[in-house]
Amino acid sequence: MASRTADDLDGLSEVEKYPDGTVVRVFCMRTDRDAYPCGWAYKLHYGATEPDLERTLEDGTIRRYDNSHEDTKGHELHVAPDPEPEGIEFPGMVELWRRFWSEIPKSEFEVV
């Protein structure tokens, strides 16, 4: 499978639900808004369709990278069952995309 480029990721918003009750939701968009100093707004989410507090966070997250509050909290990695996110260094959107897919038990979405 061909690797995605930054241009491929810009404006990407996809959701895939799986028979095992898990879901992957990805969103990546270049932006010049002050709230996103890195130039990207993103959320890379792997979770359960139904929250289970033994293996997910309250919102169903199993693993999620996001910068929803980049200007105040930076880039974060949320990993269940720990409710406190870990701050991470942003390696760039393509590298973070690759890291996310290497850390979850699902195959990367096809490049369209």
Side-chain angles (χ1 to χ4, degrees):
M1 173 186 316
S3 292
R4 297 215 185 192
T5 65
D7 287 342
D8 293 332
L9 296 175
D10 186 22
L12 183 74
S13 181
E14 295 185 29
V15 177
E16 182 77 32
K17 291 183 181 179
Y18 300 91
D20 65 359
T22 60
V23 62
V24 172
R25 290 184 188 94
V26 294
F27 166 77
C28 309
M29 180 181 73
R30 284 184 173 120
T31 181
D32 58 5
R33 290 184 51 209
D34 291 343
Y36 303 99
C38 77
W40 288 90
Y42 66 87
K43 189 174 292 184
L44 307 175
H45 171 93
Y46 171 63
T49 54
E50 294 293 325
D52 167 1
L53 297 183
E54 290 185 13
R55 66 182 199 112
T56 73
L57 300 180
E58 287 182 6
D59 65 357
T61 296
I62 295 171
R63 181 175 210 87
R64 181 179 75 242
Y65 287 98
D66 72 62
N67 67 337
S68 298
H69 310 283
E70 182 184 348
D71 57 342
T72 57
K73 296 182 182 179
H75 301 266
E76 296 180 322
L77 168 61
H78 304 258
V79 181
D82 187 353
E84 291 302 315
E86 171 188 341
I88 63 160
E89 290 295 320
F90 180 65
M93 198 65 246
V94 172
E95 179 57 35
L96 190 62
W97 176 267
R98 288 184 188 133
R99 182 186 305 171
F100 172 74
W101 287 103
S102 74
E103 295 172 346
I104 68 168
K106 301 297 177 195
S107 296
E108 181 179 343
F109 296 154
E110 292 294 320
V111 175
V112 266

